[in-house]
Amino acid sequence: MPIDGVVTRNIASELKSTLTGGKIDKVSQPETDEVILSIRNKNENFRLLLSASPNYPRVHLTNTNKRNPINAPMFCMVLRKHIISGKIINIEQFNLDRIIKIYIECYDDLGILSNKILTCEIMGRHSNIILIDEKSNTVVDSIKHITSDMSSFRQIMPGIAYKYPPKQDKINPLEFNCDDLMERISKNTQDLKTEKFIANNIEGISIFASREIINNAGIGSGFSILNLSGEKTDALMDSVKAFIQKIIDKSFEPCIYYDDSHATDFYSFRLRYLGNFKSDSYKSISETIEKFFYNKDKADRIKQKSADILRVVNNNLNRCLKKLSIQKEKLLQCSSKDKWKINADLIMSNLYSIKKGDNNIKALNYFDEKGSFIDIPLDIMLTPVQNAQKYYKIYNKYKNAEKAVKVQEEENLNEIEYFENQLINLQNCTEDDEIEEIRNELVSQGYIKKRKKTASRKRTQSKPLHFVSESGTDIYVGKNNVQNDFLTFKLSNPSDIWMHTKNIPGSHVIIRTSNKAVDQKVIIEAASLAAFYSKAKNSSNVPVDYTERKNVKKPSGAKPGMVIYYTNKTIYITPDDNVISNMKRIE
């Protein structure tokens, strides 16, 4: 559910009561479109997240720590210059629009007290964070610059006067009058659903909120506004007024709605039309938004940061698959090599009956159990022996080609397996460091050009997933090849149990045995993890091999993550979210 004007009012109200009077101690910009302000107020520390992400724009208090780039972006430097040590004197929403304005009192370069406005526009891909000088109403800087080439109506560039986004012809609910809405209904000629009409004509009301309004009015979803009359019109007016009164009174009750175990929607009010969904209520809208968006936003950013690696892996995988097709075709051609040797052998066995100048010979094929005769074409310019040598040469050509292609095919199949594993690794990655490990691995293998050296912090090795089974046994899951090799050959002991999906790309899984026997339930739990973190995640009866770690070896010269093993057993498992959710995960 997108953040609408009602949710924005809830956010602004909460931030105003929590942060007004606070001092800005620190400004950081961990992402290109995200800023975090560290604020001290009433002997408490707060972290305010401002995001202009095109997919998940939002403003809320957060407890999440993010790693900052070693070189601060320009917008971050501008904010540090102007608002560090500044005092927040007010936070307000513009009308009932998705715009939050943070008024900051600070000193300029000359030591003169001045006011700045940090404006957050929460508008999908048009979202922005803009620092404005209040006195001159000019833009100091913004996290996204909007030039005249991008918008002829409104530019956002340093030194340009700030202008609000284009105003829509909608009713301001904070100044609501039933007559205005009735007039619009009477003048309307479009065959619109009632909920769509309400969302189109009242500012700050999203389609989700308008569905609640018509549900409370007893009007069915999809009912045309053209058919509205009499009692239904009165019921709609009463429902709109009641909903707007809740907005004015700020009677917020933030909650998240779940479909099965997945969060599907959230809102600042309880929505009766979603009564069949499981819901959780929260005291804070910030807590609600963070819980709803955190994993979605994190997955989206990981996807963006791994996009170039994914493209390289897919391109190389497609190249290998095309090469495999050519190799299969070549092997098919070589499979008929024996007929050339038979031709040569039959010519040599019938030399006495062949004369130079003959263009063919009909010979008994003594290699055929039925004793059939075959016609063998001859070159009239060659002697019988030379014709036989010609066929032997063709046979040897195909024989040698077949031998070489089989070696190339095996190497190509190993490369295909490697890239398919990398696709699974990219899906399993949840941290920036894990993406960088895959990038560095591909650089070392020669698939990606090495970047020019730039200043960067020393990276620590990422950690594999750590689960604890219901019986208390530690289970580890690798998320990329670096983690897989670390798990298998450094972290684990020879007596530990090693697991991997059979002939299917996936993660290495280690069960810590502590030199004790492992019961079957732990084997099933670990096998569920191996299947879940593999290409067969959505399949059933997935074969998972397991053996003692001492039976797993890494061949000399093998690519990262590639191993061989023996004396294994196989268990067939269907990945189950419930089994995995019952296991405790150690962060």
Side-chain angles (χ1 to χ4, degrees):
M1 178 180 288
I3 294 177
D4 65 3
V6 177
V7 177
T8 305
R9 182 175 174 84
N10 191 178
I11 296 168
S13 175
E14 179 175 286
L15 296 183
K16 182 173 183 176
S17 62
T18 307
L19 301 180
T20 300
K23 177 186 175 184
I24 299 173
D25 288 333
K26 185 180 177 183
V27 177
S28 58
Q29 189 177 342
E31 307 286 353
T32 56
D33 53 12
E34 190 172 282
V35 171
I36 295 179
L37 306 182
S38 297
I39 301 164
R40 179 78 175 172
N41 191 32
K42 300 174 184 176
N43 297 321
E44 286 189 73
N45 293 320
F46 300 95
R47 293 167 61 82
L48 177 61
L49 183 144
L50 315 172
S51 175
S53 162
N55 295 326
Y56 303 111
R58 61 204 188 279
V59 177
H60 61 87
L61 297 172
T62 180
N63 295 317
T64 304
N65 287 317
K66 286 193 173 185
R67 180 180 291 175
N68 296 316
I70 192 165
N71 294 320
M74 182 58 69
F75 183 63
C76 180
M77 298 295 287
V78 171
L79 290 181
R80 287 175 180 176
K81 175 183 176 182
H82 288 279
I83 67 173
I84 282 282
S85 299
K87 179 182 177 182
I88 296 175
I89 56 176
N90 191 22
I91 298 176
E92 66 178 21
Q93 177 187 20
F94 175 67
N95 293 335
L96 202 68
D97 210 342
R98 293 167 294 170
I99 299 174
I100 294 177
K101 301 164 70 177
I102 304 172
Y103 292 83
I104 303 167
E105 188 179 71
C106 48
Y107 289 92
D108 61 17
D109 294 339
L110 301 176
I112 300 172
L113 192 65
S114 64
N115 288 350
K116 298 290 188 293
I117 306 173
L118 190 58
T119 302
C120 309
E121 299 177 350
I122 310 169
M123 299 180 175
R125 62 190 181 91
H126 300 295
S127 300
N128 211 339
I129 304 170
I130 308 163
L131 183 65
I132 303 166
D133 181 75
E134 185 179 22
K135 185 177 180 180
S136 62
N137 193 42
T138 56
V139 174
V140 178
D141 204 356
S142 62
I143 204 163
K144 296 178 185 176
H145 289 176
I146 309 298
T147 64
S148 56
D149 293 334
M150 300 165 70
S151 172
S152 58
F153 174 80
R154 179 175 181 253
Q155 290 81 52
I156 303 294
M157 295 289 290
I160 294 179
Y162 175 74
K163 186 189 293 185
Y164 285 107
K167 186 174 177 60
Q168 296 176 307
D169 182 25
K170 292 186 177 184
I171 299 169
N172 184 351
L174 303 179
E175 302 170 356
F176 180 72
N177 187 316
C178 285
D179 294 339
D180 292 340
L181 185 58
M182 286 295 294
E183 184 181 353
R184 289 176 182 243
I185 293 174
S186 63
K187 289 182 178 179
N188 175 66
T189 57
Q190 289 183 291
D191 186 15
L192 294 174
K193 294 178 181 178
T194 305
E195 59 264 38
K196 183 73 173 175
F197 180 85
I198 295 296
N200 288 351
N201 285 274
I202 302 180
E203 185 180 32
I205 302 294
S206 65
I207 190 69
F208 302 98
S210 62
R211 284 174 186 162
E212 177 69 3
I213 290 172
I214 68 161
N215 180 75
N216 293 342
I219 300 172
S221 178
F223 189 83
S224 174
I225 191 70
L226 295 177
N227 297 329
L228 198 67
S229 61
E231 292 181 0
K232 287 190 176 180
T233 303
D234 295 337
L236 178 63
M237 290 299 128
D238 291 340
S239 182
V240 170
K241 284 192 290 184
F243 192 85
I244 289 175
Q245 192 59 49
K246 287 171 67 178
I247 298 172
I248 294 171
D249 296 340
K250 299 180 181 178
S251 305
F252 300 118
E253 189 183 352
C255 53
I256 297 177
Y257 292 90
Y258 296 87
D259 183 7
D260 293 330
S261 59
H262 302 290
T264 56
D265 288 312
F266 80 96
Y267 205 61
S268 291
F269 298 132
R270 280 204 166 275
L271 303 176
R272 292 182 184 176
Y273 82 94
L274 293 179
N276 293 330
F277 288 77
K278 179 188 172 185
S279 63
D280 287 338
S281 295
Y282 298 87
K283 292 182 180 179
S284 163
I285 187 64
S286 290
E287 183 184 359
T288 306
I289 294 173
E290 178 154 46
K291 188 171 181 64
F292 185 82
F293 280 118
Y294 177 73
N295 288 329
K296 297 176 187 290
D297 182 65
K298 189 174 183 179
D300 183 64
R301 293 191 184 280
I302 289 292
K303 186 177 179 181
Q304 290 175 11
K305 291 175 182 178
S306 63
D308 60 328
I309 302 177
L310 184 64
R311 185 169 57 252
V312 168
V313 171
N314 276 323
N315 287 344
N316 279 281
L317 180 58
N318 290 334
R319 172 183 58 80
C320 290
L321 291 172
K322 287 179 182 177
K323 190 191 295 185
L324 182 64
S325 176
I326 294 170
Q327 289 165 343
K328 294 286 187 187
E329 188 177 338
K330 187 66 177 176
L331 287 174
L332 185 62
Q333 292 176 2
C334 294
S335 64
S336 61
K337 65 183 183 301
D338 288 339
K339 78 173 184 179
W340 304 106
K341 186 174 184 298
I342 290 172
N343 286 352
D345 288 343
L346 292 178
I347 291 173
M348 292 300 293
S349 63
N350 289 278
L351 285 176
Y352 66 91
S353 62
I354 305 173
K355 298 177 183 178
K356 185 176 180 180
D358 288 347
N359 60 3
N360 76 311
I361 176 178
K362 190 170 186 178
L364 175 66
N365 183 7
Y366 48 80
F367 295 101
D368 184 10
E369 293 179 357
K370 297 179 180 179
S372 60
F373 285 84
I374 60 172
D375 287 324
I376 303 173
L378 299 174
D379 189 335
I380 60 174
M381 302 300 293
L382 302 177
T383 65
V385 173
Q386 288 173 331
N387 271 291
Q389 289 174 342
K390 174 185 172 183
Y391 283 120
Y392 278 131
K393 188 175 181 180
I394 295 173
Y395 165 74
N396 286 324
K397 175 185 174 183
Y398 280 121
K399 179 183 175 182
N400 293 332
E402 183 180 47
K403 186 177 179 180
V405 170
K406 281 183 176 179
V407 173
Q408 293 170 3
E409 183 186 36
E410 185 177 355
E411 292 174 352
N412 193 34
L413 287 171
N414 289 335
E415 202 166 10
I416 289 172
E417 183 182 358
Y418 175 74
F419 286 122
E420 287 182 338
N421 268 303
Q422 289 291 28
L423 289 178
I424 299 302
N425 292 339
L426 288 170
Q427 289 178 19
N428 291 339
C429 285
T430 56
E431 303 295 338
D432 293 351
D433 285 348
E434 293 160 1
I435 295 293
E436 282 305 307
E437 285 173 349
I438 294 177
R439 188 189 303 278
N440 293 336
E441 180 187 326
L442 292 172
V443 168
S444 68
Q445 295 295 317
Y447 296 114
I448 295 179
K449 288 184 180 179
K450 192 171 184 179
R451 291 175 171 177
K452 292 181 180 179
K453 286 189 176 181
T454 56
S456 62
R457 61 168 54 85
K458 186 177 180 181
R459 290 186 178 272
T460 56
Q461 182 175 313
S462 61
K463 295 180 180 180
L465 294 172
H466 181 189
F467 294 88
V468 178
S469 69
E470 288 189 48
S471 62
T473 304
D474 291 318
I475 304 173
Y476 296 89
V477 182
K479 290 187 281 182
N480 59 33
N481 289 335
V482 173
Q483 291 184 9
N484 287 336
D485 283 347
F486 172 75
L487 264 183
T488 304
F489 300 109
K490 292 185 179 180
L491 181 67
S492 62
N493 296 318
S495 60
D496 290 341
I497 302 296
W498 179 89
M499 284 188 158
H500 195 282
T501 44
K502 186 181 185 69
N503 299 325
I504 299 171
S507 297
H508 293 203
V509 176
I510 291 290
I511 304 174
R512 282 283 203 190
T513 63
S514 302
N515 296 316
K516 298 177 183 177
V518 177
D519 61 42
Q520 189 64 18
K521 188 173 182 181
V522 175
I523 296 290
I524 292 172
E525 289 175 320
S528 294
L529 287 169
F532 185 81
Y533 289 98
S534 76
K535 189 178 180 180
K537 176 180 179 178
N538 298 316
S539 303
S540 58
N541 291 325
V542 180
V544 177
D545 287 342
Y546 64 99
T547 184
E548 288 188 319
R549 208 283 296 156
K550 65 184 179 183
N551 298 326
V552 182
K553 309 294 180 186
K554 190 172 187 69
S556 177
K559 291 182 182 293
M562 308 298 283
V563 297
I564 56 174
Y565 55 93
Y566 52 92
T567 63
N568 62 282
K569 296 179 181 178
T570 303
I571 183 173
Y572 290 84
I573 200 84
T574 298
D576 188 347
D577 289 346
N578 293 326
V579 173
I580 295 170
S581 61
N582 287 336
M583 287 187 281
K584 182 181 177 183
R585 181 172 167 181
I586 308 297
E587 297 295 340

